[in-house]
Amino acid sequence: MTIRARIFRSSKRHFDCQRSDTKELVTATALATLLKEDHIVVGDWVELIPPPIQGQEWVIEKVLERSNFIFRNLPRVQKKNVIASNVDVLLVVTSAGTPAYKRGLIDRYLVRSDYWNIPAYVIFNKMDLYDEKEFDITFEAERLKWLNVECFEVSAEDGNYKQKYLSQGFRELSDKLKGKTAILVGHSGVGKSRLITELSEGKIQLLSGETNRANKGSHTTTWAELVDGEKFALIDSPGIRSMSLSDLTKEELIMSFSDIQEFATKCKFSTCNHEENNKGCFFQKLDKSKREDQLILSRLDSYKRVLEEVSDIPDWLKKPQDN
Ligand SMILES: Nc1nc2c(ncn2[C@@H]2O[C@H](COP(=O)(O)OP(=O)(O)O)[C@@H](O)[C@H]2O)c(=O)[nH]1
Ligand SMILES: [Mg+2]
Ligand SMILES: [Zn+2]
């Protein structure tokens, strides 16, 4: 008889799994055939064979089919590195203090969220440090609303922080996560680990900074850890310095910028690249002093930046319809 469990943590050979029946954490090894790269990741549901004699090891016999998985694109080695699986929501964590807020990164994660088919929430963290001169959170929130993405205003450091600018804060976030598995993504230092501690009401303590952890496991490329709060399961992921989208084709990219795609149909020429001197370009006629037009232009800007990246794919790697 096997026992169902979920992977909480992994190193090269050993996996911490939570039994579904007793919720107890056990350490297991895996059948050799399952030890290949990316075969077992945090978030996976597995079947465990109990130790035949007490004191011997639990063994992972089978990995159940994943409902989804998220990965890092490693363009230099042309590889995708799976980080976690079976995720319900992507929490894109940004900082309103240091490190500085980066809109571009949010748009990149939204492309991924689309591609992975996992909804995203944007978290404005470190709001205790927010300075209106640095960026306009109201504009950012309007922009996200327009994209149908929910956002939350929090401070992971200050439990008493009450939201001032957005309709949703810490409590709303905590409520929305009930029963879900969420993965926190964002730059290093934005407060992902701290936010997990706060969401678990202090029951879960994670180390700040990745270095301590990275040295501990034998996995050098990445680590992610699933922690089980009473109400939700959260996956802490390492800070990703750059979110490369170079594995996407232009077609895939424009699909994730469906707003831009729709506006582009209003350009006079279907080949329009929306640059300044293009005659009949819809975007060039927009009024930069209008809020809504600013939103559209900010999206066009994000789109163009990522497009530069995907255009670099060598022809032989592109899908046939690209040419
Ligand atoms: N002022 C302030 N500091 C925070 C907040 N959230 C996290 N920090 C601090 O920012 C640093 C980085 O946090 P950490 O959780 O390790 O970020 P991670 O790299 O995204 O996991 C730590 O020193 C935290 O104490 C916040 O809301 N306000
Ligand atoms: Mg961290
Ligand atoms: Zn145009």
Side-chain angles (χ1 to χ4, degrees), residues 267 272 274 281-283:
C267 296
C272 186
H274 325 306
C281 176
F282 164 80
F283 297 97

Side-chain angles (χ1 to χ4, degrees), residues 1-242:
M1 203 198 63
T2 57
I3 286 176
R4 228 170 103 98
R6 197 168 193 200
I7 305 292
F8 271 36
R9 208 171 294 118
S10 77
S11 62
K12 219 171 207 151
R13 276 174 211 292
H14 288 90
F15 303 89
D16 292 343
C17 321
Q18 190 195 49
R19 294 174 59 161
S20 308
D21 53 357
T22 60
K23 305 286 175 210
E24 177 196 0
L25 274 182
V26 297
T27 302
T29 56
L31 295 182
T33 49
L34 298 178
L35 280 174
K36 285 186 222 134
E37 214 169 341
D38 294 345
H39 271 49
I40 305 176
V41 300
V42 166
D44 274 341
W45 289 99
V46 296
E47 281 176 6
L48 296 179
I49 309 172
I53 304 166
Q54 211 178 4
Q56 286 187 343
E57 278 177 324
W58 289 81
V59 177
I60 300 169
E61 185 198 46
K62 190 176 170 192
V63 180
L64 304 183
E65 203 183 323
R66 294 172 182 159
S67 64
N68 59 40
F69 60 88
I70 73 163
F71 57 81
R72 271 200 311 182
N73 175 37
L74 305 169
R76 246 173 279 152
V77 284
Q78 291 192 8
K79 249 181 60 171
K80 284 179 184 175
N81 185 206
V82 181
I83 299 173
S85 68
N86 304 316
V87 176
D88 298 314
V89 57
L90 205 63
L91 299 187
V92 181
V93 185
T94 69
S95 148
T98 359
Y101 173 75
K102 288 237 162 49
R103 177 196 292 152
L105 195 77
I106 295 183
D107 281 7
R108 279 159 177 273
Y109 274 115
L110 296 184
V111 170
R112 275 298 181 216
S113 142
D114 222 47
Y115 188 81
W116 289 328
N117 207 7
I118 304 172
Y121 294 164
V122 172
I123 317 291
F124 291 92
N125 185 36
K126 304 205 185 185
M127 280 303 289
D128 54 304
L129 302 175
Y130 175 61
D131 177 351
E132 286 181 18
K133 290 194 262 345
E134 295 295 323
F135 71 100
D136 179 357
I137 190 173
T138 318
F139 177 77
E140 301 305 317
E142 265 173 46
R143 195 173 178 276
L144 290 167
K145 188 168 180 198
W146 195 66
L147 297 170
N148 275 319
V149 175
E150 294 195 49
C151 57
F152 302 84
E153 177 187 343
V154 307
S155 165
E157 198 81 352
D158 176 5
N160 294 320
Y161 182 84
K162 287 272 167 301
Q163 74 264 26
K164 300 186 186 97
Y165 303 90
L166 309 185
S167 59
Q168 304 195 95
F170 188 80
R171 182 196 290 269
E172 288 79 7
L173 173 63
S174 172
D175 284 348
K176 286 252 159 87
L177 291 179
K178 272 186 195 140
K180 295 201 173 114
T181 297
I183 179 160
L184 289 87
V185 294
H187 275 177
S188 178
V190 294
K192 299 178 294 296
S193 303
R194 181 85 192 108
L195 197 57
I196 289 180
T197 302
E198 202 57 29
L199 284 165
S200 73
E201 289 158 1
K203 291 191 194 92
I204 297 156
Q205 298 289 335
L206 290 165
L207 295 179
S208 273
E210 274 95 35
T211 41
N212 328 350
R213 280 282 170 180
N215 297 338
K216 211 175 127 196
S218 37
H219 256 254
T220 46
T221 44
T222 181
W223 66 269
E225 180 173 351
L226 197 154
V227 291
D228 190 23
E230 272 159 27
K231 306 180 205 114
F232 25 68
L234 301 169
I235 302 174
D236 194 17
S237 75
I240 299 174
R241 200 171 285 274
S242 75

